[in-house]
């Protein structure tokens, strides 16, 4: 019965102090074996997308809990862009969870009880100075990501699959919905995120150590950096999860 706890049962709110999101294009046939039942890959010109969202979150707590009792922490989310057709026939775009990282043991424990997000503990350093943001992650004694963003340089990476910022914004993440699969009931769990404003900036990045793709089932040679976006100071909340049994 533990799966019943993992349905994101509480509405949650937080304040996103800063967020850096990297989107990597990957041939669709490489990512499709990772998809949960009921989901399909959200693609662009034959490519799917593996996204890494790095977030400094402040005062995260259930919506009914006072702000002062919230928890501040770092979060890295590893996701795929996907689509889901609801039982009512509505088509939704969202993200499938592959794994998550946080720098707080409490967040890891609680998150793994109440969600399917598969948290592991990481060492995180997310610093912003002048027009530069740097993120370094370490897990089990090794650097798993090292990236630097120039916040005043709106540019796509060399060799990006996108030809313009407008194209890239279709896959900038996070998406309104997060999807996961509940195998105990053959159901899709979806969680809707709500924000009042949304205007991330395209930024130029240097990736010194790429994400540990293989840790999440993606061959290291397949991904190619497609875009990077940065934003600051955003109130955010998640609704309670909704479960739909697949046909």
């Amino acid at each position: 019965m533990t799966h019943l706890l993992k349905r994101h049962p509480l509405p949650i709110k937080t304040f996103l102090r800063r967020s850096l999101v990297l989107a990597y294009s990957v041939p669709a046939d490489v990512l499709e074996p990772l998809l949960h039942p009921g989901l399909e890959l959200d693609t662009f010109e034959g490519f799917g997308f593996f996204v890494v969202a790095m977030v400094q979150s402040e005062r995260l707590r259930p919506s009914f809990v006072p702000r002062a009792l919230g928890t501040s922490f770092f979060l890295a989310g590893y996701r795929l862009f996907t689509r889901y057709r609801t039982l009512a026939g509505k088509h939704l775009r969202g993200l499938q969870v592959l794994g998550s990282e946080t720098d707080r043991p409490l967040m890891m424990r609680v998150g793994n009880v109440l969600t399917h997000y598969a948290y592991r503990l990481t060492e995180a350093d997310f610093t912003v100075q002048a027009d530069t943001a740097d993120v370094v992650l370490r897990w089990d004694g090794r650097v798993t990501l090292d990236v630097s963003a120039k916040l005043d340089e709106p540019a796509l990476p060399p060799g990006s699959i996108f030809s313009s910022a407008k194209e890239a914004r279709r896959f900038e993440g996070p998406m309104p919905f997060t999807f996961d699969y509940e195998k105990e009931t053959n159901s899709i769990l979806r969680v809707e995120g709500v924000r009042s404003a949304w205007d991330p900036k395209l930024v130029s990045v240097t990736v010194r150590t790429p994400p540990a793709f293989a840790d999440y089932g993606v061959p290291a040679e397949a991904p190619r950096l497609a875009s990077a976006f940065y934003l600051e100071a955003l109130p955010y909340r998640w609704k309670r999860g909704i479960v739909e049994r697949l046909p």
Side-chain angles (χ1 to χ4, degrees):
M1 299 295 288
T2 57
H3 67 276
L4 299 178
L5 291 175
K6 294 181 177 289
R7 291 180 168 181
H8 208 286
L10 301 175
I12 301 292
K13 65 169 55 175
T14 191
F15 184 78
L16 305 184
R17 171 56 59 191
R18 56 180 66 98
S19 174
L20 178 63
V21 180
L22 308 179
Y24 285 83
S25 60
V26 183
D29 60 350
V30 174
L31 295 181
E32 283 170 351
L34 302 178
L35 287 174
H36 290 321
L39 300 180
E40 62 181 66
L41 207 59
D42 197 357
T43 62
F44 178 82
E45 296 187 354
F47 288 83
F49 294 90
F50 176 96
V51 61
V52 185
M54 296 153 281
V55 179
Q56 283 287 358
S57 179
E58 295 183 358
R59 302 299 183 182
L60 182 138
R61 73 274 185 198
S63 297
F64 50 82
V65 171
R67 182 178 184 275
L69 298 180
T71 300
S72 299
F73 64 98
F74 172 85
L75 167 69
Y78 301 86
R79 313 286 192 254
L80 299 179
F81 279 94
T82 56
R83 293 178 179 268
Y84 171 62
R85 183 176 183 270
T86 70
L87 297 181
K90 188 174 182 179
H91 292 270
L92 305 177
R93 297 182 72 216
L95 298 169
Q96 174 186 310
V97 177
L98 295 179
S100 307
E101 296 177 342
T102 180
D103 61 345
R104 297 296 177 92
L106 177 62
M107 184 62 198
M108 179 187 69
R109 290 193 293 268
V110 174
N112 285 337
V113 169
L114 299 179
T115 75
H116 289 260
Y117 292 176
Y119 286 97
R120 71 183 187 186
L121 197 62
T122 191
E123 297 178 37
D125 185 13
F126 193 160
T127 59
V128 177
Q129 296 181 345
D131 294 319
T132 302
D134 293 283
V135 181
V136 180
L137 306 183
R138 295 178 178 85
W139 182 75
D140 197 27
R142 62 188 172 98
V143 175
T144 54
L145 180 63
D146 185 349
V147 58
S148 181
K150 294 293 186 182
L151 306 183
D152 58 348
E153 295 182 6
L156 291 168
S160 172
I161 190 175
F162 301 122
S163 61
S164 68
K166 182 178 179 180
E167 286 184 349
R169 284 187 180 277
R170 289 181 53 198
F171 297 90
E172 65 189 14
M175 300 296 291
F177 293 94
T178 301
F179 304 121
D180 213 323
Y181 177 65
E182 187 177 270
K183 63 181 180 180
E184 292 85 353
T185 61
N186 188 36
S187 301
I188 288 292
L189 169 66
R190 72 174 185 267
V191 180
E192 182 177 0
V194 181
R195 65 251 184 165
S196 58
W198 187 251
D199 189 25
K201 301 190 303 182
L202 179 68
V203 295
S204 172
V205 297
T206 299
V207 181
R208 290 178 285 266
T209 302
F213 299 109
D215 288 357
Y216 299 97
V218 180
E221 68 277 6
R224 183 171 64 183
L225 187 61
S227 67
F229 285 89
Y230 178 82
L231 63 81
E232 292 182 334
L234 178 70
Y236 205 95
R237 63 185 178 91
W238 292 269
K239 297 181 181 181
R240 294 180 59 185
I242 295 176
V243 178
E244 286 191 343
R245 190 181 294 271
L246 295 174

